[in-house]
Amino acid sequence: MGYLRIENLSKHYGQKQALRDFSACFTAGIYALLGPNGAGKSTLMNIITRNVCPDSGGTITWNGTEIVRLGTEYLAKIGYMPQQQGLYNNFTAYRFLGYMASLKGLKRREAALEIPRALELVELTDVAAKRIGGFSGGMKQRLLIAQAILGKPEIVILDEPTAGLDPKQRVRIRSLIQSLAEDKIVIVSTHIVSDVESIADQVLLLKDGVLAAQGAVEELAACLPVGCPPTLENIYMQYFGDEGEAPC
Ligand code: ADP
Ligand code: MG
């Protein structure tokens, strides 16, 4: 299993600093990137997936080698579910995954093995031949997760996979994420605490482009006022609550 190391990464959009001096190291496990809208979560994910170019100065290495040197070898290790992604409503789920597999350069034989496996994992096998247009929000999100895991990526990046889903669907996505993470780096962004509280090995709190804190929930809870229950919700309030607003 590899490791992904990020050092001193920054990104400006004009005057706006979307990410400031971000450093972290990822090995197998679930990493929750938690922060309100505009915190820089998608920017970081776009940089890791090489869709956005960071400011000069920072580095990203995979097993010690800069990812720019690894080129497509690095990209093949990544599975990415972007925050905004169009789905082709006239495609069937199977055809969509076939299309995504070909974009990823999977051979026909590989795709024929991997697509059923991915469909199985996200529990869409029964509707594989149905058109996406008739899918519920939760089914669409699960299909997007399925495309992210085609090609056996070692790094899976899910940008707000539970956006717009009801609580029942969120639970389903949560256990799906858990089942992915055995031998992979899974980085999942959200602004909803309950999505990751019970499944994240590490939580990264991102505030105005700055990594405000990182650790397991128990570790982060050590900074809470005495007597305050050690929940991620309270930790979140501690960092993101309005001025003077105590977590409990
Ligand atoms: P999050 O995903 O946490 O909501 P983003 O990474 O999307 O945050 O955005 C971080 C900040 O960078 C926001 O202030 C956003 O408006 C700004 N930003 C993101 N992408 C762009 C862009 N392409 N052009 C200009 N500003 C951007
Ligand atoms: Mg975002």
Side-chain angles (χ1 to χ4, degrees):
M1 185 56 222
Y3 64 94
L4 183 72
R5 185 185 293 279
I6 298 177
E7 284 170 304
N8 306 112
L9 214 63
S10 295
K11 176 68 187 173
H12 286 83
Y13 290 107
Q15 298 283 1
K16 176 80 202 174
Q17 185 141 24
L19 200 64
R20 188 187 296 260
D21 225 14
F22 180 95
S23 299
C25 189
F26 303 92
T27 55
I30 301 180
Y31 296 80
L33 203 53
L34 188 61
N37 283 330
K41 304 182 293 296
S42 295
T43 299
L44 176 63
M45 291 181 148
N46 275 316
I47 294 172
I48 294 174
T49 53
R50 301 205 58 199
N51 289 302
V52 161
C53 197
D55 296 349
S56 60
T59 53
I60 306 180
T61 55
W62 172 249
N63 294 338
T65 307
E66 284 209 44
I67 61 167
V68 283
R69 285 157 160 263
L70 292 170
T72 50
E73 189 191 327
Y74 169 73
L75 292 179
K77 298 191 186 302
I78 296 220
Y80 177 41
M81 173 188 179
Q83 189 169 2
Q84 250 113 40
Q85 183 167 344
L87 276 167
Y88 304 90
N89 282 339
N90 284 328
F91 278 26
T92 64
Y94 195 95
R95 183 158 171 229
F96 172 69
L97 292 181
Y99 176 63
M100 295 309 284
S102 69
L103 287 184
K104 287 181 186 212
L106 261 70
K107 302 217 166 61
R108 230 170 236 271
R109 261 221 324 247
E110 260 176 304
L113 288 173
E114 291 227 3
I115 294 171
R117 184 185 61 89
L119 283 165
E120 187 74 37
L121 194 71
V122 302
E123 298 177 70
L124 289 176
T125 305
D126 295 347
V127 292
K130 295 244 158 67
R131 281 171 197 246
I132 298 168
F135 283 13
S136 69
M139 290 162 84
K140 286 180 180 170
Q141 300 290 82
R142 297 205 314 272
L143 183 60
L144 289 170
I145 295 176
Q147 67 75 29
I149 58 173
L150 291 175
K152 303 196 181 72
E154 288 180 65
I155 308 163
V156 175
I157 308 229
L158 307 173
D159 199 350
E160 306 220 14
T162 57
L165 299 185
D166 64 34
K168 207 168 133 191
Q169 289 289 349
R170 311 188 96 88
V171 170
R172 203 155 173 190
I173 300 275
R174 207 155 66 204
S175 48
L176 173 55
I177 292 171
Q178 216 162 8
S179 67
L180 290 181
E182 254 172 42
D183 54 350
K184 295 184 197 323
I185 296 171
V186 178
I187 308 176
V188 48
S189 78
T190 183
H191 56 267
I192 294 155
V193 166
S194 59
D195 278 353
V196 289
E197 172 142 46
S198 59
I199 62 166
D201 296 303
Q202 290 271 307
V203 176
L204 290 84
L205 297 170
L206 206 56
K207 186 177 184 180
D208 298 327
V210 176
L211 181 61
Q214 178 184 353
V217 173
E218 309 84 78
E219 290 164 350
L220 295 172
C223 299
L224 288 170
V226 177
C228 195
T231 64
L232 187 54
E233 184 132 335
N234 286 334
I235 295 163
Y236 188 93
M237 286 305 290
Q238 170 101 333
Y239 284 94
F240 300 108
D242 292 333
E243 197 102 1
E245 198 178 10
C248 48

